[in-house]
Structures are given as structure tokens and as C-alpha cells.
Amino acid sequence: MKELRRMPVIEVAKQKVEEFPQWSEINHYGINHLKVGQEVPLHYHACNEYWIIVSGRGVCTTEGDTYEIGPGDLVLTKEGDEHSLIVTEEMTAVYIYGVLPPGGSIGYLYRNKEE
């Protein structure tokens, strides 16, 4: 008889890096609900980050290029690349962090220490 493998379920509000299985290519995720005019300042991460735009619109800058983004778009940002967002239409977006390197941390990192 074939052994059944348990599929983990991780609750967004209770997630911890150590709860993700070793084989997972994801270390953290969340859902953002953003209002018109809201800005996410220029920052970077210690891992790759992916945004899936569920609804709404905005203007993102990543790797020095600017893009208009909307429902269904996927924004891919490489580890260490700076990116930002200005919301032009109320937005819901899912963000996903890739694998963190040893010693890496979750959250925004800034090149300009004044931010």
C-alpha cells in the first residue's frame, strides 16, 4: 500500500519560516489590501519576491523600470533588486517570498539608511 504524505497548510496570520517544509520554494506570503494613493517605498528583500495582482491597479518600479500593473499581472523581483509601488485603484495583491538565504530575514530592506 502506498504511503500517504501529509500536505501542510500554513495560516497566513500564524506563519513562521520553520513551518514551511524543506522542499518548499516559499518562505513567507501575505495578502495586501491597498488604498488609492498608498505608496510602498523603494526597498528590496533578501530573497526573490513575487506579487500577484488580484484586483486594482498601480504603478510599480522594479530594476529601474516602471510598469502599469493590474488584475492577473505577476511582478517578479529578484533578490536584492529595489522596487516600489504607487496604488492608482484600490488593490488586492498576494505577495510571496522565495527561499531565504542562510541568515536572511523577512521584511523590507533599504539601501538609503534615512528611510
Side-chain angles (χ1 to χ4, degrees):
M1 185 170 163
K2 188 174 181 179
E3 181 182 328
L4 294 177
R5 293 175 46 179
R6 183 177 153 258
M7 178 188 280
V9 173
I10 298 174
E11 296 177 41
V12 70
K14 298 178 183 176
Q15 65 183 301
K16 295 178 184 164
V17 170
E18 58 272 8
E19 291 179 359
F20 288 82
Q22 281 188 304
W23 53 261
S24 179
E25 296 171 358
I26 296 171
N27 275 322
H28 182 74
Y29 71 99
I31 302 169
N32 282 333
H33 301 283
L34 306 162
K35 302 289 183 194
V36 173
Q38 191 169 346
E39 295 186 28
V40 176
L42 191 65
H43 67 282
Y44 67 97
H45 300 281
C47 61
N48 298 334
E49 183 186 36
Y50 310 91
W51 301 348
I52 301 168
I53 309 308
V54 177
S55 63
R57 298 197 173 278
V59 176
C60 77
T61 299
T62 184
E63 302 173 42
D65 295 320
T66 300
Y67 303 90
E68 290 187 20
I69 56 174
D73 290 347
L74 173 65
V75 179
L76 299 92
T77 305
K78 188 173 65 178
E79 173 187 350
D81 282 347
E82 291 183 302
H83 53 284
S84 63
L85 172 68
I86 298 171
V87 179
T88 58
E89 180 182 298
E90 191 166 328
M91 180 183 287
T92 298
V94 174
Y95 65 90
I96 301 166
Y97 281 23
V99 176
L100 285 169
S105 62
I106 291 173
Y108 291 6
L109 299 171
Y110 301 99
R111 300 222 192 286
N112 180 347
K113 294 180 183 179
E114 293 176 13
E115 291 186 45

